Amino acid sequence: MTAPSTELFVHPALFYRGEEEYVDGTVPFIREGLAAGEPVAVAVPGPKLDILRSALGDAATDVRFIDMTQAGRNPGRIIPKVLRVFADAHPASRVRIIGEPIWPDRSGVEYPACVQHEALINSAFEGRDATILCPYDEAGLSEQALTDAYATHPVVISEGRQRNSPSYAPERVVERYNEPLPIVEAAEGYAFGADELPAARYFVAERATRFGLSGVRLDDLALVVAELTTNSVVHGGGSGTVYVWAENGQVVCEVRDGGQLKDPLAGRRPSPPAQLGGRGLLLVNYLTDLVRVHTGPDGTVIRCYVDC
């Protein structure tokens, strides 16, 4: 599973069925890293954390454990807030991370953002001295999710055997899941330019309050709208339209404009402390529970979901 590689960055997928295969595929990986003096982090859904802590025994105290259902609720913040934060804290050492961003309870709305995240890890960590092992529940996930795992990981481990993926093509995955996001029939819209930015924030906040959003979460959404609408004015042709609606216990807000995002990692890179500006999309990923993006020559749509 951890055979020597000439590549600095190693990104295998681990297919498993049941708890025993999960432990057999992850615990030796962790112990091998600890024995080599590598910092180790485990970012997986909460119940899996308990399994691994129990299997590791005393060695668990040397591992950084992260509940992916919380830290990775929005797949768009996993790279900057989970993976890069840990790797950047150990610049002089190779790091070893287990990251499980896709699990059976993920919704169909979340999945495109999840698989894009898996594809983008490869460019985000290119040239970095790190190994990120991504477990996939072979019994609980769809055939499409397993097929996509081959496309987003250069190496796949299944039934204890490791092999190179014959269909590895992360850039194609990013493009394929750059799906159009049609205007939702129930959405209310407000067209804005530079002079209407405060009115656009008020428009969304008033309707979000009506849908049940309040307190800190309402403040978060107002800040998200401010960042997105300002980006539209500055980078998206000077104007745009903001839409808001309620959906399955969430308030959904989207901003449409005439700009095009050229960088697939926009909003997924930690910003240097001394950097002035340029944190808008990063902040949007940190403050929301899901971000979906569609971008192309005809414009960009950024759709954000906030749990009520």
Side-chain angles (χ1 to χ4, degrees), residues 53-75:
R53 283 194 182 101
S54 176
L56 286 166
D58 292 343
T61 59
D62 298 321
V63 178
R64 171 83 168 96
F65 289 100
I66 302 160
D67 187 346
M68 190 66 100
T69 63
Q70 299 298 319
R73 174 76 173 91
N74 174 12

Side-chain angles (χ1 to χ4, degrees), residues 238-257:
S239 63
T241 304
V242 60
Y243 294 89
V244 61
W245 68 96
E247 181 180 307
N248 299 325
Q250 296 178 307
V251 174
V252 189
C253 170
E254 74 176 27
V255 174
R256 296 172 176 262
D257 62 40

Side-chain angles (χ1 to χ4, degrees), residues 63-141:
V63 178
R64 171 83 168 96
F65 289 100
I66 302 160
D67 187 346
M68 190 66 100
T69 63
Q70 299 298 319
R73 174 76 173 91
N74 174 12
R77 65 172 173 249
I78 297 175
I79 290 174
K81 200 169 186 179
V82 179
L83 305 181
R84 277 286 307 273
V85 162
F86 184 75
D88 292 352
H90 305 281
S93 174
R94 183 176 187 84
V95 299
R96 188 171 291 225
I97 304 171
I98 297 177
E100 188 170 3
I102 302 175
W103 53 87
D105 288 341
R106 283 285 203 187
S107 69
V109 175
E110 294 172 310
Y111 180 72
C114 292
V115 70
Q116 282 188 318
H117 154 76
E118 283 282 62
L120 289 169
I121 288 177
N122 299 286
S123 52
F125 275 82
E126 185 177 6
R128 295 293 297 263
D129 208 5
T131 302
I132 300 178
L133 176 71
C134 300
Y136 279 76
D137 184 348
E138 198 169 7
L141 293 172

Side-chain angles (χ1 to χ4, degrees), residues 21 90-91 112 155 197 206 209 218 223 234 248 276 286 304:
E21 285 192 10
H90 305 281
V155 173
L197 292 179
E206 189 276 330
T209 301
L218 182 61
L223 185 52
V234 176
N248 299 325
L276 298 177
Y286 278 13
C304 305

Side-chain angles (χ1 to χ4, degrees), residues 143-223:
E143 190 64 33
Q144 184 63 60
L146 301 177
T147 298
D148 286 338
Y150 277 93
T152 55
H153 296 79
V155 173
V156 175
I157 304 160
S158 181
E159 297 180 340
R161 291 180 295 179
Q162 175 175 302
R163 68 186 183 108
N164 293 331
S165 170
S167 56
Y168 177 61
E171 295 85 1
R172 292 183 190 174
V173 171
V174 173
E175 293 173 6
R176 177 160 28 105
Y177 284 97
N178 180 31
E179 301 173 337
L181 299 169
I183 295 174
V184 173
E185 186 176 346
E188 297 181 71
Y190 181 86
F192 63 86
D195 295 336
E196 291 80 31
L197 292 179
R201 292 194 296 273
Y202 177 80
F203 170 83
V204 173
E206 189 276 330
R207 281 150 183 82
T209 301
R210 188 197 311 164
F211 296 145
L213 204 63
S214 62
V216 174
R217 298 302 276 154
L218 182 61
D219 293 339
D220 288 345
L221 181 61
L223 185 52

